Amino acid sequence: MGLFGRKEKSQMAAAPKRSPQVPARPDGGRSDSNSCYGQMDAQLLLKNHGVVLKLYIENFKRMNDLFGFEYCDELLEMIKDYLEQRTGCLVFRYVGVEFIIIMKNRSVREASQMAECIIERFGENWAIGNTDCLCSVQIALCAYPGYASNTTEMLKCLDMAGTQAAEMGSNQYAVYDKALHAQRLRRQAIAKYLSTAIANDEVEICYRPTYNRELKKFTRAEFLMRIFIKDVGMVSNSEFLPIAEDTGQIRLVEYYALDKAGALIARLLKNKAEFESIAIPVSSVLFVQGDFLQEVSRIIEKYQIPQKKLAIEIDEYVADTSHSNVMVLLQNLSWMGVELILNNFGSGSTGLGQVFELPMDTMKFGRMFIWQLENNPKSAPVNAGLIQIAKMMKKNILADGVETKRQKDFLDQFGCHLQQGPYYTPVMTEEEVVSLLAKSRETLRKEMQERKAYKR
């Protein structure tokens, strides 16, 4: 566990996108990235064998803020000296707080044992002067030759292994193996086909309806996408959106989705359906694009969307990234008449005080929140308190992932009236959701009673 605990949203993956966590020195810093790149190139070109180890120090920016640059720079030099002595290999300060070690003529087993020794050392204090500190690490390993034919590919392999290590928690290591390689090939296939699918309109659009227990009818729906890719199968947006972020295709994908959501709203209005809003989840990458507000404004004007009929959903952790910029963006969207939904409310990634400063209309609890309600009795008063706080702040409360009657009963008890999930209805096509939102309260009541009787 690091000095300041876990868990942040940042991961070891996609290193080039992460800002270095140590301020640049006037002389250009201590980075050995060029030398490291050359050494790896030579090893792969000569088809030598060995293992590349990449180590990333977590929470280092906070340590830098607390102890100062000179202390942390000395700490990094101490860590580098330790790694050189322990491994007997050249150690490179690659980017920021990442170290790369080229372990020539070592097997994956030997490198794994070394990673375990390094992790054990990071479980102890590092003493600089009269001040001790703890820092945690993530380690990625990839053997060569084999999976990577050049240094660029090697770094991508290490990024994937680093992401897996991060998902396991602090002070963990992961090896790039056949399973990760298969995932990488899958990601490449998805990335390759994504733009073609959008251009050819080969996307399956569907919606997750939301039931309003006060009105006793479905009043909302959340936009989802799926794409069928040959030799890969059906791919949901939860899988391809992160890939679109990494490959720079996120604007193409989500502006396509925004247009489709706007078209549905126009269709519902034309049919005189009584509904609250249609929501579209927005990537944090897209949210800070310079033309995002203009694109939302264009869709509102194109489809003549009234106030609060279009909802945009962002994740809670976005609020903690650049708070002043996020506040301005959200305020502008609110002035434009967009309903604002904060996903994963109560996850703890952002302080409650900061969350309630945001001009959000709806707080959305994720599936983990629902799971805890049913499986962790100690969580009930905490979760009930969050709901009551949100209600006192005059926010809508929406629960996602409701699967059982017991979960529904908990949410009813706590006063959470907007609920969605398999308990109420599966994901639907556009035609189905248009029909569902158009149904009267009485018609829907009869259908739900018939469905429950059939289940018995």
Side-chain angles (χ1 to χ4, degrees):
M1 205 68 169
L3 179 66
F4 295 94
R6 286 269 298 187
K7 190 165 188 173
E8 291 187 342
K9 201 76 178 177
S10 62
Q11 293 182 340
M12 189 174 179
K17 294 183 180 180
R18 183 176 57 242
S19 299
Q21 293 187 326
V22 181
R25 297 172 65 91
D27 59 1
R30 302 280 185 91
S31 174
D32 305 319
S33 56
N34 290 335
S35 299
C36 178
Y37 207 96
Q39 287 281 343
M40 275 197 282
D41 263 346
Q43 291 297 306
L44 293 169
L45 183 64
L46 296 172
K47 299 191 183 300
N48 293 334
H49 81 273
V51 178
V52 179
L53 182 153
K54 184 177 180 180
L55 180 148
Y56 169 63
I57 304 176
E58 298 181 286
N59 298 330
F60 204 82
K61 184 179 185 301
R62 296 186 185 182
M63 292 181 65
N64 195 78
D65 293 340
L66 181 63
F67 296 117
F69 172 77
E70 290 186 4
Y71 178 96
C72 290
D73 192 50
E74 190 173 344
L75 172 62
L76 290 174
E77 285 302 305
M78 179 181 287
I79 290 172
K80 183 176 180 180
D81 290 342
Y82 161 75
L83 292 173
E84 288 176 340
Q85 293 172 14
R86 188 67 188 81
T87 64
C89 302
L90 269 178
V91 177
F92 300 94
R93 277 266 300 273
Y94 187 63
V95 176
V97 290
E98 294 175 348
F99 293 88
I100 286 183
I101 308 171
I102 302 173
M103 306 176 70
K104 303 175 185 178
N105 303 316
R106 305 283 182 91
S107 66
V108 170
R109 182 178 179 181
E110 290 172 320
S112 297
Q113 291 172 343
M114 184 63 68
E116 290 172 359
C117 292
I118 294 170
I119 286 172
E120 185 177 348
R121 172 63 184 88
F122 274 86
E124 302 171 2
N125 289 335
W126 297 87
I128 307 292
N130 296 321
T131 305
D132 293 351
C133 71
L134 275 173
C135 50
S136 52
V137 294
Q138 297 153 5
I139 295 176
L141 302 171
C142 183
Y144 66 88
Y147 297 116
S149 59
N150 57 57
T151 301
T152 300
E153 288 184 4
M154 171 61 75
L155 292 172
K156 289 179 180 178
C157 294
L158 290 168
D159 282 345
M160 283 197 70
T163 298
Q164 187 173 76
E167 290 171 353
M168 292 188 290
S170 297
N171 288 337
Q172 301 289 335
Y173 77 92
V175 179
Y176 187 87
D177 55 14
K178 290 181 180 179
L180 279 181
H181 190 60
Q183 288 181 32
R184 183 176 168 222
L185 294 178
R186 179 182 175 90
R187 285 174 60 87
Q188 288 175 340
I190 292 170
K192 183 178 180 180
Y193 186 75
L194 203 51
S195 58
T196 302
I198 297 295
N200 296 335
D201 209 18
E202 297 172 350
V203 178
E204 180 183 334
I205 295 172
C206 47
Y207 292 85
R208 181 182 290 120
T210 300
Y211 188 72
N212 186 318
R213 296 198 58 79
E214 284 187 318
L215 300 179
K216 300 190 184 307
K217 69 187 298 284
F218 290 94
T219 59
R220 298 165 172 256
E222 178 185 342
F223 182 95
L224 302 170
M225 289 188 290
R226 296 185 292 204
I227 300 175
F228 181 82
I229 299 177
K230 185 180 179 182
D231 300 326
V232 174
M234 188 64 75
V235 182
S236 69
N237 53 257
S238 62
E239 182 177 5
F240 68 70
L241 286 180
I243 297 171
E245 290 178 348
D246 291 342
T247 58
Q249 297 173 292
I250 193 65
R251 295 176 75 261
L252 172 71
V253 173
E254 291 214 332
Y255 285 159
Y256 171 88
L258 185 62
D259 188 84
K260 293 295 183 182
L264 174 63
I265 293 171
R267 181 179 177 184
L268 289 168
L269 292 170
K270 184 178 180 180
N271 292 349
K272 300 188 184 309
E274 295 182 2
F275 69 103
E276 292 177 334
S277 62
I278 301 298
I280 174 169
V282 171
S283 158
S284 59
V285 175
L286 183 73
F287 188 69
V288 295
Q289 295 293 312
D291 63 345
F292 179 67
L293 288 175
Q294 292 92 323
E295 190 64 19
V296 174
S297 178
R298 185 186 70 81
I299 293 298
I300 290 173
E301 184 176 349
K302 176 181 178 180
Y303 294 107
Q304 294 298 294
I305 300 175
Q307 293 271 319
K308 304 300 182 182
K309 292 300 181 184
L310 172 65
I312 285 178
E313 180 181 307
I314 65 167
D315 210 84
E316 181 182 314
Y317 81 90
V318 176
D320 201 34
T321 53
S322 181
H323 187 62
S324 59
N325 292 338
V326 168
M327 179 70 83
V328 171
L329 281 167
L330 290 173
Q331 194 63 65
N332 281 320
L333 287 169
S334 182
W335 289 334
M336 290 162 60
V338 175
E339 180 189 359
L340 299 173
I341 300 175
L342 189 70
N343 190 25
N344 287 320
F345 172 62
S347 65
S349 60
T350 309
L352 282 178
Q354 192 170 339
V355 165
F356 285 118
E357 286 179 8
L358 303 173
M360 311 306 296
D361 301 291
T362 302
M363 303 301 192
K364 180 179 177 182
F365 293 104
R367 294 174 184 270
M368 183 56 68
F369 174 91
I370 308 303
W371 181 89
Q372 287 180 338
L373 273 179
E374 188 169 23
N375 296 280
N376 183 3
K378 293 181 180 180
S379 72
V382 175
N383 294 334
L386 284 173
I387 291 175
Q388 292 307 311
I389 291 170
K391 291 180 74 172
M392 285 190 289
M393 300 293 292
K394 301 189 183 307
K395 309 291 186 183
N396 296 320
I397 311 297
L398 192 158
D400 182 29
V402 183
E403 297 183 5
T404 67
K405 184 178 184 301
R406 188 161 181 247
Q407 292 172 351
K408 190 257 325 170
D409 290 342
F410 271 120
L411 293 166
D412 290 349
Q413 177 186 340
F414 297 149
C416 180
H417 300 301
L418 295 175
Q419 302 176 24
Q420 63 185 31
Y423 175 79
Y424 291 100
T425 180
V427 171
M428 293 184 164
T429 65
E430 180 173 320
E431 294 302 321
E432 289 171 330
V433 84
V434 167
S435 174
L436 183 70
L437 293 176
K439 287 178 180 176
S440 68
R441 176 172 167 174
E442 185 60 27
T443 300
L444 189 61
R445 184 184 67 80
K446 289 179 180 179
E447 288 184 0
M448 292 184 73
Q449 286 178 340
E450 291 172 0
R451 182 164 64 91
K452 289 177 182 177
Y454 176 78
K455 283 185 176 181
R456 294 193 192 100

